[in-house]
Amino acid sequence: ASSIDHRKIETEGAELAGARVALNARYALRLKDLEPISIVTGNRIFNAKGVVTGSIRGGYNALSLDGEIGLDDFFYGDVDAGVLVQNGKATFAIQNLKPSNPLREAGVRFVAEAEKVHINRNKLDSLKFAFAYQQEYSTYQMQTIYNKDIILVLNGLASVWEDQVVFTLNDMQFAFQDFSWKAEGGATIRFDRGGVRVDDFFMRRD
């Protein structure tokens, strides 16, 4: 088994930090007819058509990157199960990424939307998702229509505290045909090694 040479990594990192080399680059990638590379996914088909663009700026001590992904079509799976995305778009940005304690000072933003998403035999329409991270705290928002009958709206906060990941629900709305429910703000969902704990979760019918 191979081992990591931490001293070598620290030495090379110090050399990069002292070089003060700045990077300012843009990239663009066009995706089309990727099915031939499905050989690496076994019996599953992988294909996509779209464009990926973005930029990378900064140096070893602070790196930032951003990008935009536009997908006309994306498919991964087989005839029985898979994921299909149509007319999808996503933007992302990562700022102030540093070699030591990267999560403490980094800022992350990710926004995605898609006209249609099929997961196995389930269909999501008008999917919208947003995620932002700053100083070890994050916010999230999601809105979608599931199988044309169920509407889900969700937003809140998330944080890592000791050995737990805590999600706080600021707003949660669930509707099915003519019925609608709304959760009161302040509910928390905690994940740790021992399991999942839900506190103060109560939904009221509108």
Side-chain angles (χ1 to χ4, degrees):
S2 60
S3 59
I4 299 175
D5 190 338
H6 294 280
R7 179 168 295 181
K8 182 178 179 180
I9 293 176
E10 292 176 357
T11 300
E12 294 181 351
E15 293 177 355
L16 288 171
R20 299 184 182 278
V21 177
L23 180 66
N24 189 354
R26 295 194 60 83
Y27 60 88
L29 177 65
R30 295 187 178 275
L31 307 175
K32 184 179 180 181
D33 190 20
L34 301 181
E35 192 169 344
I37 69 174
S38 295
I39 188 173
V40 302
T41 61
N43 296 326
R44 293 180 174 269
I45 299 173
F46 173 76
N47 205 351
K49 181 181 179 182
V51 178
V52 181
T53 60
S55 65
I56 305 174
R57 304 176 308 280
Y60 178 79
N61 290 315
L63 190 67
S64 298
L65 59 151
D66 60 70
E68 181 174 316
I69 304 171
L71 290 176
D72 297 330
D73 295 286
F74 171 88
F75 179 75
Y76 174 73
D78 52 34
V79 295
D80 296 319
V83 177
L84 172 65
V85 179
Q86 294 178 316
N87 296 326
K89 180 180 179 181
T91 59
F92 65 90
I94 303 175
Q95 299 176 335
N96 204 30
L97 189 61
K98 297 187 175 183
S100 59
N101 295 323
L103 296 180
R104 184 176 298 276
E105 298 186 42
V108 179
R109 177 179 53 82
F110 178 79
V111 179
E113 59 181 47
E115 182 179 318
K116 297 183 184 297
V117 178
H118 295 256
I119 303 175
N120 298 334
R121 301 185 183 278
N122 299 307
K123 180 180 177 182
L124 302 175
D125 291 315
S126 303
L127 174 65
K128 296 181 180 180
F129 177 80
F131 172 85
Y133 173 89
Q134 190 75 41
Q135 296 181 346
E136 301 183 332
Y137 287 89
S138 64
T139 61
Y140 55 89
Q141 298 178 352
M142 188 184 77
Q143 178 177 330
T144 189
I145 302 174
Y146 175 74
N147 286 344
K148 297 184 178 180
D149 290 324
I150 299 174
I151 299 175
L152 177 64
V153 177
L154 179 69
N155 74 70
L157 306 172
S159 62
V160 178
W161 185 71
E162 295 183 350
D163 61 344
Q164 297 181 340
V165 178
V166 182
F167 291 89
T168 302
L169 299 179
N170 290 340
D171 182 26
M172 179 178 178
Q173 300 178 41
F174 175 83
F176 175 72
Q177 296 180 352
D178 296 330
F179 299 93
S180 178
W181 292 268
K182 183 176 181 179
E184 296 183 352
T188 59
I189 304 174
R190 302 173 186 269
F191 296 86
D192 58 27
R193 296 178 181 178
V196 181
R197 176 178 172 179
V198 180
D199 292 313
D200 302 321
F201 183 78
F202 179 78
M203 296 197 72
R204 185 185 305 276
R205 181 176 174 180
D206 285 346

